[in-house]
Amino acid sequence: MLSISAAAVFSFSLLSRVVERMVSLSVGILLSTSLLHALPEAFESQADPHTLFAVLLAGLLGFFLLEKMAILRHSHHYEGDGHGHEHGHDAHEAGKAGWMILVGDGLHNFTDGILIAAAFLADPNLGVITGVAIIAHEIPQEIGDFIVLLNAGFTRVRAYVYNLLCSLMAVVGGLLGYFTLGQASGLIPYVLVFASSGFIYIAVSDLMPQMQRRATVRETIPQVILIALGVSVVLFLTSRGHAH
């Protein structure tokens, strides 16, 4: 709910600079959550390292294919784009894209819920950090979703309510994950590795290329500072967890 509401505020006021800054912060949080916390937690368990690395590889390739399928399904056309469609074609396409975004987002949030549950079951401190990482990367993503929904003809209130309902799928996934993984705790390291593959893929293939488009020193310095801030947040939360 926090990430959806923040996304709505930024989308409706179009604070694009804040959104750009959120992307840099997300990269730091996602990469450090995966590489400094979730993966070490998984590899310190009794699970076979070779199998865990296989899950990591499968996760990275799986996210690549999922993104490919989503890109192939999304053909972005607008009225008057010179493609010579009959009148109303693009509005219809935008409407379909809007519903597809909602379905995809619901499934995405459902898996996020399972990942948060797995993280909490492994270590409550890791659960908090995973939650923070998911909120941070959801804000820029949800802003993109809002823009697609508004373009698809949804009113602001309707876009917000539908996005909020989709976000509640995380609660469903969290409850299911908590009760399922609580019974089968041996699966937790594999879920953590799969979650890490998603975080790493999002950061490296989606967010970092966005940041590379702004190659000036003036743009790069705040990016580096915010990545470092994201890493520092995770290190701070991790050190507090170890202190307890």
Side-chain angles (χ1 to χ4, degrees):
M1 288 178 75
L2 177 66
S3 54
I4 298 279
S5 301
V9 169
F10 293 145
S11 300
F12 300 155
S13 53
L14 294 173
L15 299 172
S16 57
R17 190 157 290 278
V18 177
V19 180
E20 285 166 23
R21 299 290 179 251
M22 279 301 307
V23 168
S24 302
L25 185 67
S26 295
V27 166
I29 292 175
L30 289 171
L31 288 179
S32 50
T33 300
S34 309
L35 298 170
L36 303 180
H37 213 55
L39 286 173
E41 184 82 33
F43 279 90
E44 284 165 10
S45 71
Q46 302 302 309
D48 173 44
H50 289 89
T51 311
L52 291 175
F53 271 115
V55 171
L56 184 64
L57 175 63
L60 289 168
L61 294 175
F63 283 108
F64 167 72
L65 289 172
L66 280 173
E67 192 178 38
K68 270 279 193 217
M69 284 158 59
I71 289 167
L72 290 173
R73 285 201 313 258
H74 283 76
S75 49
H76 292 298
H77 296 304
Y78 299 96
E79 295 291 355
D81 63 358
H83 282 293
H85 305 309
E86 72 276 13
H87 185 67
H89 170 91
D90 294 310
H92 178 64
E93 286 296 308
K96 281 204 305 194
W99 287 110
M100 268 168 38
I101 283 278
L102 288 170
V103 171
D105 209 29
L107 289 169
H108 179 99
N109 291 330
F110 179 74
T111 55
D112 279 348
I114 294 173
L115 303 180
I116 291 172
F120 267 106
L121 287 166
D123 171 11
N125 195 54
L126 176 59
V128 172
I129 295 168
T130 303
V132 168
I134 285 173
I135 288 169
H137 100 79
E138 280 290 312
I139 294 173
Q141 183 191 315
E142 294 295 347
I143 288 167
D145 290 355
F146 267 113
I147 291 163
V148 171
L149 291 176
L150 295 175
N151 180 53
F154 285 65
T155 63
R156 288 180 175 191
V157 173
R158 198 160 161 240
Y160 177 75
V161 169
Y162 276 108
N163 251 338
L164 203 57
L165 289 172
C166 281
S167 77
L168 293 177
M169 287 299 289
V171 178
V172 178
L175 289 169
L176 183 74
Y178 181 77
F179 290 112
T180 308
L181 295 169
Q183 304 299 316
S185 56
L187 292 174
I188 292 172
Y190 302 101
V191 176
L192 290 179
V193 170
F194 188 75
S196 298
S197 72
F199 284 2
I200 293 165
Y201 183 81
I202 289 162
V204 174
S205 83
D206 184 21
L207 303 181
M208 281 178 153
Q210 289 179 42
M211 292 161 61
Q212 292 288 35
R213 287 181 207 135
R214 302 182 171 277
T216 64
V217 174
R218 193 177 162 197
E219 287 289 345
T220 303
I221 291 169
Q223 287 178 348
V224 171
I225 291 169
L226 283 161
I227 290 172
L229 179 63
V231 174
S232 303
V233 166
V234 173
L235 287 174
F236 172 70
L237 291 171
T238 308
S239 64
R240 285 190 62 187
H242 289 321
H244 293 317

